[in-house]
Amino acid sequence: MTTDALKQAALQPGPTNPFAVSYLQLCQLSYQPPASIPTLVAQLPNLNAGGSWACGWGPAQTNDQANLAFVATYFYGPGLPVFTAVVIRGTDVNIDNGLGILDQIWEDLDVTNQVPLPWSAPSGVLVAQGTLDGLANIQGLRSGGKSLLEYVAGYVGDPKNNTPVLVVTGHSLGACLSTVVAPWLKGALAQQGLTGPIVPATFAGPTAGNAAFAQYFSDTFPYFLRYFNTLDIAPKAWGDLWGVETVYDAYGLQTPDLVEVALIGFEAAMLYYEVGYAQPPTNNASLTGTFQGGDTWYEEAALQHHTATYMTLLGGQSVIVAPPRPALRPKEGRAKLRAQLGSARRLVEGGRPFARGAA
């Protein structure tokens, strides 16, 4: 294939996109020690004879290590970039900074406060404040004396690079943040006269905003790629929390009481604050999950969410070693609430005791 043919292939929407495995491999590398990422990027499998990879910016992370991003470029040959990818790491509790872990949890869970985007968007478009906090962190990252925007604008705007496709990708929280980083970059680049194609590619991403945001995102990015495992609970947050309650019932894993309480709490809070969430309505690539045989509900959820599981479902080759299964064991009585109270959804929606104005 020629350089132009590879660029056109990168604009193929849906599950048939030939570069999905490469994007997910980049996401896998984002969880590795930052100092090792440039070397690991250069070792990624090539997509054509004579091709090569290079890390051009970053990795850069916030002072508390909560958010990390880097930019990697695939070259058809020397000086012939096909696409350059902004890669955003997801939630990583293996970082050294405890405050960074809390910051990530805040970005994940701050969903009751919805706010407008900090740029022009259609009326009614709202996203979670925690998501915008993560966006601000990404916008503030610097590497080699340049911000992410400065580097990307300089690279895609350089005539000798012949307008490479810009990809924005991430797994988990990184996927959620990708859905706000991509439109931010699109608008900021357009202000500089740069209107080349942008391909957001997300894996296992929770929702970032309401239904109006989901539609706005779909309308803005016709080449959007959203991959989700049907047995992964993360993509069900925050638009389908009730799906979390029964996701492993067929395999004999009842929802633990702690999860039931969390579901009740979050659904009640979102009902009280009158907020809702939705995934984009188009370009959804569903990956049919396979039960992993976890000993507990938590272990199964962790395995289903892992990048190695997604890679297996995509039919690709992982570039990391999957961690050993966590040593979790079921505790007696852990799933009593649902048996005694019925479904969390019926509890919250039936009597609506949590609605505003309820006595």
Side-chain angles (χ1 to χ4, degrees):
M1 298 178 73
T2 65
T3 307
D4 288 341
L6 283 176
K7 288 180 180 179
Q8 287 301 312
L11 302 179
Q12 177 66 42
T16 58
N17 187 285
F19 300 144
V21 168
S22 294
Y23 302 155
L24 183 54
Q25 288 171 337
L26 289 169
C27 292
Q28 290 185 319
L29 296 188
S30 71
Y31 292 101
Q32 302 307 298
S36 70
I37 289 176
T39 298
L40 294 172
V41 167
Q43 296 172 351
L44 286 172
N46 293 331
L47 303 174
N48 65 280
S52 64
W53 290 89
C55 184
W57 180 91
Q61 60 181 341
T62 53
N63 290 335
D64 63 2
Q65 304 176 333
N67 297 105
L68 177 147
F70 65 92
V71 179
T73 299
Y74 182 72
F75 296 88
Y76 179 81
L80 297 173
V82 176
F83 61 82
T84 190
V86 176
V87 187
I88 304 169
R89 190 191 65 198
T91 303
D92 187 358
V93 297
N94 293 316
I95 62 175
D96 299 324
N97 194 310
L99 291 178
I101 294 174
L102 294 177
D103 195 0
Q104 293 176 83
I105 293 173
W106 180 256
E107 292 172 20
D108 279 323
L109 302 183
D110 182 19
V111 295
T112 57
N113 182 22
Q114 287 186 333
V115 294
L117 291 167
W119 56 80
S120 178
S123 175
V125 170
L126 299 172
V127 297
Q129 179 62 61
T131 301
L132 285 193
D133 292 342
L135 170 64
N137 285 344
I138 298 297
Q139 290 172 322
L141 295 177
R142 299 188 70 83
S143 178
K146 294 182 179 180
S147 69
L148 175 62
L149 175 59
E150 289 169 343
Y151 175 82
V152 170
Y155 194 84
V156 301
D158 190 334
K160 74 173 186 290
N161 291 329
N162 196 26
T163 316
V165 174
L166 178 59
V167 177
V168 182
T169 190
H171 167 263
S172 190
L173 173 61
C176 178
L177 293 178
S178 293
T179 63
V180 289
V181 169
W184 161 61
L185 285 175
K186 181 179 177 66
L189 292 173
Q191 290 179 357
Q192 301 182 43
L194 303 173
T195 58
I198 298 178
V199 179
T202 67
F203 304 88
T207 54
N210 62 2
F213 170 76
Q215 188 62 59
Y216 156 75
F217 186 80
S218 287
D219 292 343
T220 303
F221 297 104
Y223 309 117
F224 171 50
L225 308 168
R226 174 183 171 247
Y227 294 91
F228 66 98
N229 172 4
T230 57
L231 292 181
D232 182 5
I233 65 172
K236 299 181 185 300
W238 298 92
D240 182 26
L241 285 183
W242 301 132
V244 174
E245 187 177 31
T246 58
V247 64
Y248 304 132
D249 279 7
Y251 308 101
L253 291 181
Q254 292 290 310
T255 312
D257 286 352
L258 181 61
V259 176
E260 288 285 341
V261 170
L263 289 174
I264 292 170
F266 277 110
E267 281 290 351
M270 289 193 290
L271 179 65
Y272 179 81
Y273 288 103
E274 300 177 342
V275 299
Y277 288 84
Q279 294 283 10
T282 59
N283 291 347
N284 292 298
S286 173
L287 304 173
T288 303
T290 301
F291 186 64
Q292 299 294 303
D295 292 332
T296 70
W297 190 97
Y298 298 105
E299 182 178 344
E300 186 66 25
L303 291 169
Q304 293 292 349
H305 187 59
H306 200 276
T307 60
T309 301
Y310 272 76
M311 189 64 75
T312 298
L313 295 177
L314 279 175
Q317 179 65 46
S318 285
V319 292
I320 57 155
V321 177
R325 291 183 174 183
L328 299 174
R329 292 292 179 268
K331 293 182 179 179
E332 187 176 351
R334 183 170 276 179
K336 288 183 177 178
L337 276 181
R338 193 162 149 209
Q340 294 174 0
L341 301 178
S343 74
R345 181 173 191 170
R346 185 169 59 184
L347 178 66
V348 174
E349 294 184 349
R352 293 189 176 269
F354 307 103
R356 286 192 176 186

